[in-house]
Amino acid sequence: MGGAVSAGEDNDELIDNLKEAHYIRSELVERAFRAIDRADYYLEEYRDSAYKDLAWRHGNLHLSAPCIYSEVMEALDLQPGLSFLNLGSGTGYLSTMVGLILGPFGVNHGVELHVDVVDYAYQKLDHFIKTSDSFDKFEFCEPTFVVGNCLEIPPESRQYDRVYCGAGVQKEYENYMKNLLKVGGILVLPLEEKLTKITRTGQSSWETKKIIAVTFAPLVQPKQNVNGRPRSVPLPIFEVRTLQDLSRIAIRHTLRQPISMGEGRTKRRVSFPGARAMHRYGPRFERRRFCRRFYRQCVNSVVLHDSMIPTAMDDCNYPGGVEEEEEEVEEEEERSCRRVREDLPEEDEDGCGTEDEKSKGGCARAEPPVNILREKILRLPLPEPLKMYLLYYREK
């Protein structure tokens, strides 16, 4: 199943194609898809096929086509804090994307039939947490996987806000799947050759919507044990987070949040009105610091635009007789910036600088983006072991 969109050269181009074909329609789903490289879930020798809109299978490992995952993610209507159950969780690719949306207070469970696939999923999850910059850009709900047949879940098990089944569901198991949902929950599953969205509107009422035609391998029928009774597959345990874990989540959340101060600017968070003016580094100090920082950028930049010239900040106009002096400082800095800009060599249309610079080696490559959260944590006045804990012991 797949082939609905053209192949991409990389993950971003694949997502662009899915957006253009209207498989990805929401910004939240787009961010999750861009954050995780699909090729990371392929075996190394098959990575060249990762950006095609095709399903992939090798032994027990399986990934659905990107267009299918797109429709599933859109249909699930995910929100932070919800509980999610993935039946046939496979490599963990979908569960990891879902975890980026659910956030740290969601629930993210998966049931997979094959032991080797669960091991593979945990390997990929560990690799994502330790090496991907996306882990620091999102608040993540880490998935938990168990081995077993999803048709052997006890009927008294808890219910979920969102459920997805990654195998073709026979009609006789439709009610079994529905009973895994809370009221108001959404179930997405392949049913009678159609990807179907079922919403539980009441204790015994449902709304059903057919999405697209699909072809999935059918669910594996449960095997009976010696006594003639089916096995029971317990779902993952819901564990209450420790105070230490909650503290880590809160600290990372605080450090991750920029405080809006207007276009392209940020300011320090304050705990109560007027606190910033009372700080020993009050508005006068911050305005001068901003201007000095901007002046250094003027010196180091190749091209400056008039729109980048600093202007007076509305929230800095505190009484105290410093406004006129500050305006004089700003005007002087602006004049200095303009002089620097006029003295800088003009840049070519392709952004490569002057002809002399091109002849000496062409355009300088842009430096890789800085992981701001990591840098903030490393600058905290804390013992190294505590910093590493806040970083989830990530290697980079």
Side-chain angles (χ1 to χ4, degrees):
M1 183 67 194
V5 301
S6 57
E9 292 293 328
D10 55 25
N11 194 67
D12 280 330
E13 188 172 332
L14 173 62
I15 307 311
D16 291 340
N17 295 339
L18 291 168
K19 280 189 64 181
E20 185 176 351
H22 301 291
Y23 283 102
I24 293 179
R25 300 177 289 277
S26 65
E27 182 180 350
L28 201 60
V29 171
E30 179 187 351
R31 289 186 65 224
F33 268 88
R34 292 192 188 278
I36 300 178
D37 194 328
R38 179 177 168 89
D40 289 343
Y41 289 79
Y42 277 64
L43 294 173
E44 191 63 35
E45 59 268 32
Y46 297 100
R47 285 179 66 94
D48 291 344
S49 302
Y51 307 122
K52 297 176 181 178
D53 187 32
L54 297 172
W56 173 72
R57 179 179 293 278
H58 181 81
N60 292 327
L61 299 176
H62 177 260
L63 281 167
S64 295
C67 67
I68 301 298
Y69 282 137
S70 302
E71 289 288 3
V72 169
M73 290 282 285
E74 293 287 356
L76 285 170
D77 190 21
L78 297 163
Q79 301 169 27
L82 295 181
S83 57
F84 172 68
L85 177 63
N86 189 355
L87 304 176
S89 51
T91 64
Y93 172 65
L94 178 66
S95 293
T96 304
M97 286 196 294
V98 169
L100 298 178
I101 298 177
L102 297 182
F105 302 111
V107 174
N108 194 356
H109 291 167
V111 179
E112 169 56 42
L113 184 62
H114 305 287
V115 176
D116 59 327
V117 178
V118 170
D119 292 340
Y120 185 87
Y122 274 121
Q123 290 174 14
K124 294 302 179 182
L125 176 62
D126 184 64
H127 182 266
F128 169 74
I129 292 174
K130 289 186 176 179
T131 66
S132 175
D133 282 342
S134 296
F135 180 78
D136 283 337
K137 295 176 182 176
F138 291 79
E139 294 185 280
F140 185 52
C141 181
E142 187 172 332
T144 302
F145 307 109
V146 295
V147 179
N149 190 311
C150 66
L151 294 176
E152 296 176 331
I153 298 173
E156 66 275 9
S157 295
R158 61 153 296 142
Q159 296 173 318
Y160 292 78
D161 296 303
R162 301 291 185 267
V163 178
Y164 170 66
C165 182
V169 177
Q170 296 87 342
K171 187 65 176 177
E172 59 265 30
Y173 292 114
E174 180 180 356
N175 289 334
Y176 172 88
M177 295 292 175
K178 287 179 177 179
N179 289 330
L180 295 171
L181 273 185
K182 294 179 179 179
V183 174
I186 295 174
L187 166 66
V188 179
L189 74 170
L191 183 65
E192 297 181 323
E193 303 295 314
K194 294 289 179 67
L195 188 65
T196 305
K197 175 180 178 179
I198 300 175
T199 304
R200 187 168 193 171
T201 57
Q203 287 296 335
S204 57
S205 57
W206 317 83
E207 289 182 359
T208 301
K209 177 184 177 182
K210 303 293 185 182
I211 303 174
I212 57 173
V214 293
T215 302
F216 276 72
L219 283 172
V220 175
Q221 300 297 309
K223 298 178 181 179
Q224 294 188 346
N225 62 15
V226 178
N227 298 325
R229 297 181 180 180
R231 298 185 183 90
S232 178
V233 177
L235 292 172
I237 299 173
F238 281 82
E239 297 182 357
V240 177
R241 290 185 180 274
T242 64
L243 181 59
Q244 180 174 316
D245 194 21
L246 290 172
S247 299
R248 173 167 63 178
I249 291 170
I251 291 171
R252 287 172 62 90
H253 174 82
T254 301
L255 293 176
R256 187 183 288 111
Q257 298 301 314
I259 308 306
S260 177
M261 188 177 175
E263 264 192 306
R265 304 177 189 169
T266 59
K267 67 178 180 181
R268 190 183 303 274
R269 184 186 296 273
V270 294
S271 57
F272 59 93
R276 185 167 176 269
M278 296 170 61
H279 197 278
R280 65 191 181 97
Y281 293 151
R284 180 174 179 177
F285 175 86
E286 289 202 359
R287 180 177 290 181
R288 284 184 171 176
R289 182 175 61 181
F290 177 83
C291 293
R292 285 197 298 269
R293 186 185 301 120
F294 189 85
Y295 179 75
R296 288 195 295 270
Q297 291 174 353
C298 290
V299 174
N300 295 328
S301 298
V302 177
V303 174
L304 294 176
H305 301 285
D306 289 339
S307 61
M308 293 175 61
I309 297 173
T311 56
M313 304 177 193
D314 293 337
D315 61 344
C316 290
N317 293 327
Y318 295 98
V322 299
E323 286 86 353
E324 292 182 3
E325 179 182 347
E326 295 298 335
E327 289 174 2
E328 292 176 1
V329 172
E330 287 183 1
E331 290 174 1
E332 178 59 32
E333 297 289 1
E334 289 175 10
R335 288 194 292 270
S336 300
C337 288
R338 288 194 181 100
R339 288 195 297 269
V340 170
R341 183 191 60 194
E342 291 169 358
D343 293 339
L344 287 172
E346 292 188 3
E347 192 178 53
D348 194 60
E349 290 182 359
D350 59 2
C352 291
T354 63
E355 292 296 331
D356 290 340
E357 290 174 341
K358 292 181 185 180
S359 62
K360 291 179 181 179
C363 297
R365 290 185 178 179
E367 295 184 2
V370 177
N371 188 327
I372 302 298
L373 178 61
R374 182 180 181 85
E375 294 301 317
K376 286 182 178 180
I377 291 175
L378 291 176
R379 288 199 298 266
L380 292 174
L382 298 172
E384 287 301 317
L386 184 51
K387 290 181 184 179
M388 293 308 298
Y389 176 75
L390 290 173
L391 291 169
Y392 285 82
Y393 305 99
R394 286 163 51 79
E395 299 170 356
K396 70 171 186 176

